[in-house]
Amino acid sequence: MISTSNKFLALTFIVAAIFISCHDSALQPETTAKIYQAGKCNGTALFKSAQDDSCFVYSFSNVLTIDFCVNGNCCPDSNRFTSSYTLNNNEITIKVKDTAPNLCKCMCRYTIHSEFNDLKLESYRVICISETNDENKVLYSKLVQRKL
């Protein structure tokens, strides 16, 4: 026969095991992100095969903040882009798509601003993709590291 104190110990152990196993997923907040077009046209887009490295800037301490450039038609020059992201282990993929009408015969360089909160790891591979109807073009693939 099991004594009352042994039952209490067994029950305490089971409850503690449940709390420990749920600790990571239940108590830590989920990663959230804000991604949007920051401002209007930043000058005429220069058509190069590769984007300038200076057009990918980040800071990462508590929040990962990323600004990067993408080309789009000059007008209208506000609210041109929709965006989405995926987080898979240590890889963040940011996709932007130009959804506004192309009303002018000129191209502009636009800045996409993103903020990621509650990231768990110390470094991530960030991949920025421009989506079009017929292809996805990788604009940037950068390793970002948390600064202490």
Side-chain angles (χ1 to χ4, degrees):
M1 189 174 272
I2 300 175
S3 70
T4 304
S5 63
N6 286 344
K7 286 181 185 177
F8 179 75
L9 268 161
L11 182 59
T12 303
F13 177 75
I14 291 170
V15 170
I18 290 171
F19 279 114
I20 289 170
S21 67
C22 293
H23 174 74
D24 285 342
S25 61
L27 300 179
Q28 293 186 4
E30 290 292 318
T31 298
T32 59
K34 292 187 290 187
I35 305 170
Y36 56 90
Q37 175 185 328
K40 297 185 178 192
C41 177
N42 292 324
T44 303
L46 300 175
F47 293 98
K48 296 180 182 178
S49 60
Q51 296 283 329
D52 294 329
D53 283 345
S54 63
C55 210
F56 182 96
V57 180
Y58 80 93
S59 65
F60 188 15
S61 54
N62 292 333
V63 175
L64 171 58
T65 302
I66 302 169
D67 289 318
F68 65 94
C69 295
V70 63
N71 294 333
N73 194 267
C74 292
C75 39
D77 70 349
S78 58
N79 300 319
R80 290 204 64 84
F81 301 95
T82 59
S83 60
S84 63
Y85 80 96
T86 56
L87 175 60
N88 187 11
N89 298 320
N90 67 334
E91 186 174 283
I92 300 170
T93 302
I94 303 170
K95 291 184 177 182
V96 294
K97 184 172 186 175
D98 187 349
T99 58
N102 296 324
L103 302 177
C104 299
K105 293 183 180 180
C106 57
M107 297 295 286
C108 276
R109 180 167 279 191
Y110 296 93
T111 301
I112 303 298
H113 179 81
S114 57
E115 297 176 9
F116 293 86
N117 294 290
D118 301 314
L119 291 168
K120 314 297 187 274
L121 303 178
E122 297 302 309
S123 66
Y124 290 87
R125 169 67 55 189
V126 176
I127 302 168
C128 303
I129 296 175
S130 176
E131 290 185 294
T132 62
N133 292 335
D134 51 351
E135 70 177 320
N136 291 334
K137 180 181 177 185
V138 175
L139 302 174
Y140 306 95
S141 179
K142 302 284 186 176
L143 180 66
V144 299
Q145 297 182 326
R146 191 182 304 265
K147 306 286 189 224
L148 300 176

